[in-house]
Amino acid sequence: MAAAPVALPLLLLAALAAAAAVASATTVAYNDRAVVIDGQRRIILSGSIHYPRSTPQMWPDLINKAKEGGLNTIETYVFWNGHEPRRRQYNFEGNYDIVRFFKEIQNAGMHAILRIGPYICGEWNYGGLPAWLRDIPGMQFRLHNDPFEREMETFTTLIVNKMKDANMFAGQGGPIILAQIENEYGNIMGKLENNQSASQYIHWCADMANKQKIGVPWIMCQQDNDVPHNVINTCNGFYCYDWFPNRTGIPKIWTENWTGWFKAWDKPDFHRSAEDIAFAVAMFFQKRGSVHNYYMYHGGTNFGRTSGGPYITTSYDYDAPLDEYGNIRQPKYGHLKDLHNLLKSMEKILVHGEYKDTSHGKNVTVTKYTYGGSSVCFISNQFDDRDVNVTLAGTHLVPAWSVSILPDCKTVAYNTAKIKTQTSVMVKKANSVEKEPEALRWSWMPENLKPFMTDDHGSFRQSRLLEQIATSTDQSDYLWYRTSLEHKGEGSYTLYVNTTGHKIYAFVNGKLVGQNQSSNGAFVFQLQSPVKLHSGKNYVSLLSGTVGLKNYGPLFELVPAGIAGGPVKLVGANDTAIDLTHSSWSYKSGLAGEHRQIHLDKPGYKWRSHNGSGSIPVNRPFTWYKTTFAAPAGDEAVVVDLLGLNKGAAWVNGNSLGRYWPSYTAAEMGGCHGACDYRGKFKAEGDGIRCLTGCGEPSQRFYHVPRSFLRAGEPNTLVLFEEAGGDPARAAFHTVAVGHVCVAAAEVGDDVTLSCGGGLGGGVVASVDVASFGVTRGGCGDYQGGCESKAALKAFRDACVGRESCTVKYTPAFAGPGCQSGKLTVQATC
């Protein structure tokens, strides 16, 4: 009875909360011009931020930077194998707390696009699909069959219900305005050799999704043929301005505008220029686009074993407007922000206005939108080798491969090829709290290989060589194949192994006799190692390793890994051979150190300190290393330099940083040499690749250590598992901050802004080093030549030094004696 007076207020509060949710409910519809939110046609400017590729502590900052960059929407995939690593065992903790991520989007006052898939590609391990699906009888991935569709619907419903329970859909007052089912199925549909099953499957996907009753439209990307009637088909690619949806009545949506490209262990870094991205975006809106998403806006990090490929690096930076660590990448971020703000100012005219395209000769088009007595105009020049003059209420010079936007059809407010935003050069700064690497004291522990040097105590046996993914359900990078044979007397042989794994180590009678790895792209290779057998029983232990599983292509899930089918044989003199392929093989997934969770550095682990020589063993395969370090001061992003190590995995305070492989050198490619010309279509494959950096250098040397992994004011622990044999002596921690900021090609009347703060992690302007006309040599940080303007140098030093940011108007007085007024270059050090 005493509790009764409390019950009514609680019920009242619940009722008020429910009423508030209904009151804030948002309706989402669409027509041929736009997504319609609460009856208003809207331009959607979205950016992809993948929640597992950062940390919950990073999410608010990333989302707010996206909003500050002019976006109004955040898009993300949903990662099935991250959320359900084992069947019906779910993970929604830490950086997989999807509800928390969407609440952060809501807190920022932004919309959201939920891309469930649940196949996602995304350079994510196995395309996001759990490897345990392979265990289910009758399973065919992404075709019309009950086993797959049942599991897909179960997971889709789980995610939808989580979003509903948290009131995350627009009709509940939440941020989600669009949802996606499947992903890029149209790219592979015709290559599956079962068109009827593929068609039935994609229509089943659409029907299943619509049965979820989420109250917002469903989209389906790259589905240009056989499109279900109850979804909106959308475009992915570097350019989608010439693409239109396959039927009337639906808006033109670009779900993935690739801001750069992913990186593989053997490749250099790809860079897509700010000018080219802006050109593609402006062309899209010139040609009736209204929903646009950057893939990626923040790429982030492939923590743990999440990178796909195979051979995708741990860094998923993607050359995005926010770099891997969350720093603003200039000029890309700022140049696109200026475009976003201009597009939003013209929103009503673009989504309601009548439009007219007028050709001004080959590759040159003027588009005029008119609504309510106002007009806006776009002038596009698709020539990649020449500027053009266009007459439109005056004469306008439009640079090659650019779009000029005239919000009054008279004056150019923005040209995609003219960057007015600063360039920021990020640098790695040494840990100021301690002198590294000298301060790091290492201990070590050998990986316990002894249990695997015989064929006893395996999980099971088979008289054949099994495929690795299905056998291990991808619970580890490693799978042991072990067998034994009787031999009369001593003998010398060549051990021959044919494998589809990515890395292989061979042991005979407990001794490492050979190792080999695949080149990227082949993934079928051989190991041939000389071995000696003794009289009696001999043991052969083969350790197969993977470096991310394939994530894209028709029937990609059936591409084998491991020593699938072999053959494995011992080749003797005169080509005689002992064929072990159908011997009795014992199988065991993972390493002893993985099962013991050595990376957690639990009490009782027996680490070995420095030996008498004052050093630790190096270049020793299968070795664990540990050190403690002081967290770098401040709030700048932290990385660890692992140059000198070979291949393995790293953890800080038990948190995985992902795989490392700094010994893998990026290939020499032609695009690394010469100037980076933005003009012309960007390519990431085939001939004509340009704007590359890092050729001939370690593919990835630095590894992100999120601040939330660190403990301030107390020792932090770094644990490395060195698989192939390396030296940790050069490892060191750094912070990432802006080193130099520059503005090039400023013109009279421009407001020139320099900033070392505002999310760049650089502090204040320490000095202004260059203020010159006609600079033609070097880049930001090492500009040379030109005519120095003493007046401009003084103005910028007075306004900027000691401040986070400053703005100076470029006046004719800057020219001064001996210098002709023209394009001004300013360079400062942070």
Side-chain angles (χ1 to χ4, degrees), residues 24 29 78 171 254 263 286 292 307 319 418 426 469 530-532 564 584 596 634 647 654 661 693 697 717 756 782-783:
S24 61
V78 178
W254 192 357
K263 182 177 174 67
Q286 179 176 359
H292 168 272
S307 61
D319 200 42
K418 295 182 178 181
M426 308 304 291
I469 303 169
V531 301
K532 290 185 180 296
S584 177
R596 292 179 61 203
K647 178 182 181 294
W661 206 352
T693 60
E697 299 175 8
T717 302
C756 289
D782 65 347
Y783 278 125

Side-chain angles (χ1 to χ4, degrees), residues 743-753 772-774 787 789 791-792 795-796 807-816 819-826:
V743 173
E747 298 177 346
V748 173
D750 286 349
D751 287 328
V752 180
T753 298
S772 300
F773 298 102
C787 182
S789 168
F796 278 96
T807 301
V808 176
K809 184 173 284 293
Y810 173 9
T811 69
F814 285 174
C819 287
Q820 293 183 349
S821 179
K823 292 183 177 179
L824 177 69
T825 297
V826 182

Side-chain angles (χ1 to χ4, degrees), residues 219-224 232-236 243 253-255:
I219 61 176
M220 197 175 271
C221 68
Q222 291 296 94
Q223 192 65 38
D224 288 343
I232 303 171
N233 66 312
T234 71
C235 183
N236 294 351
W243 175 92
I253 299 178
W254 192 357
T255 31

Side-chain angles (χ1 to χ4, degrees), residues 150-226:
R150 182 174 59 248
E151 293 298 326
M152 177 175 169
E153 182 169 10
T154 298
F155 181 73
T156 300
T157 302
L158 174 74
I159 296 299
V160 166
N161 286 343
K162 276 195 167 291
M163 295 294 108
K164 285 182 178 178
D165 291 346
N167 296 318
M168 287 293 103
F169 289 105
Q172 302 173 294
I176 300 171
I177 58 170
L178 295 171
Q180 179 179 305
I181 197 69
E182 247 296 336
N183 189 60
E184 296 184 331
Y185 196 64
N187 290 355
I188 65 158
M189 198 170 172
K191 305 172 185 177
L192 294 175
E193 299 179 357
N194 194 333
N195 292 337
Q196 181 179 358
S197 180
S199 178
Q200 289 173 317
Y201 165 70
I202 202 64
H203 284 269
W204 172 87
C205 288
D207 291 341
M208 180 272 290
N210 278 275
K211 283 195 307 183
Q212 302 288 335
K213 304 294 184 186
I214 62 175
V216 302
W218 286 93
I219 61 176
M220 197 175 271
C221 68
Q222 291 296 94
Q223 192 65 38
D224 288 343
N225 298 305
D226 200 8

Side-chain angles (χ1 to χ4, degrees), residues 292-441:
H292 168 272
N293 176 73
Y294 294 105
Y295 186 100
M296 301 292 295
Y297 199 76
H298 169 257
T301 305
N302 291 315
F303 298 113
R305 302 174 50 250
T306 59
S307 61
Y311 283 27
I312 300 296
T313 56
T314 296
S315 172
Y316 198 65
D317 180 88
Y318 219 87
D319 200 42
L322 301 179
D323 72 13
E324 177 181 359
Y325 321 116
N327 295 315
I328 290 172
R329 173 172 276 121
Q330 297 284 33
K332 188 172 286 188
Y333 176 92
H335 190 49
L336 296 175
K337 175 181 177 177
D338 292 343
L339 175 57
H340 303 153
N341 290 338
L342 182 57
L343 290 170
K344 287 189 292 187
S345 75
M346 306 185 305
E347 177 180 52
K348 194 169 287 291
I349 300 175
L350 292 178
V351 296
H352 286 277
E354 296 182 0
Y355 52 86
K356 182 180 180 182
D357 298 320
T358 303
S359 173
H360 283 241
K362 182 181 178 182
N363 288 336
V364 180
T365 303
V366 173
T367 301
K368 183 176 184 178
Y369 287 85
T370 302
Y371 180 74
S374 298
S375 297
V376 302
C377 291
F378 295 77
I379 310 174
S380 59
N381 175 11
Q382 291 183 256
F383 283 111
D384 60 11
D385 60 352
R386 72 196 75 169
D387 303 344
V388 296
N389 284 302
V390 177
T391 300
L392 179 70
T395 300
H396 305 281
L397 178 65
V398 185
W401 201 252
S402 79
V403 178
S404 290
I405 303 177
L406 298 74
D408 59 359
C409 290
K410 297 177 183 177
T411 304
V412 175
Y414 183 93
N415 178 269
T416 59
K418 295 182 178 181
I419 295 178
K420 298 186 178 182
T421 301
Q422 73 178 27
T423 295
S424 303
V425 176
M426 308 304 291
V427 296
K428 310 290 193 302
K429 296 183 177 180
N431 187 353
S432 61
V433 178
E434 61 185 10
K435 188 177 181 181
E436 295 173 354
E438 294 85 352
L440 301 182
R441 295 289 180 263

Side-chain angles (χ1 to χ4, degrees), residues 111-164:
H111 302 305
I113 299 174
L114 176 69
R115 303 180 74 188
I116 295 178
Y119 164 74
I120 61 169
C121 182
E123 292 72 57
W124 189 265
N125 193 50
Y126 223 35
L129 299 179
W132 54 256
L133 290 171
R134 298 276 295 271
D135 290 340
I136 299 174
M139 175 66 64
Q140 290 182 290
F141 285 23
R142 303 174 74 199
L143 285 169
H144 185 52
N145 63 101
D146 184 67
F148 185 76
E149 291 173 353
R150 182 174 59 248
E151 293 298 326
M152 177 175 169
E153 182 169 10
T154 298
F155 181 73
T156 300
T157 302
L158 174 74
I159 296 299
V160 166
N161 286 343
K162 276 195 167 291
M163 295 294 108
K164 285 182 178 178

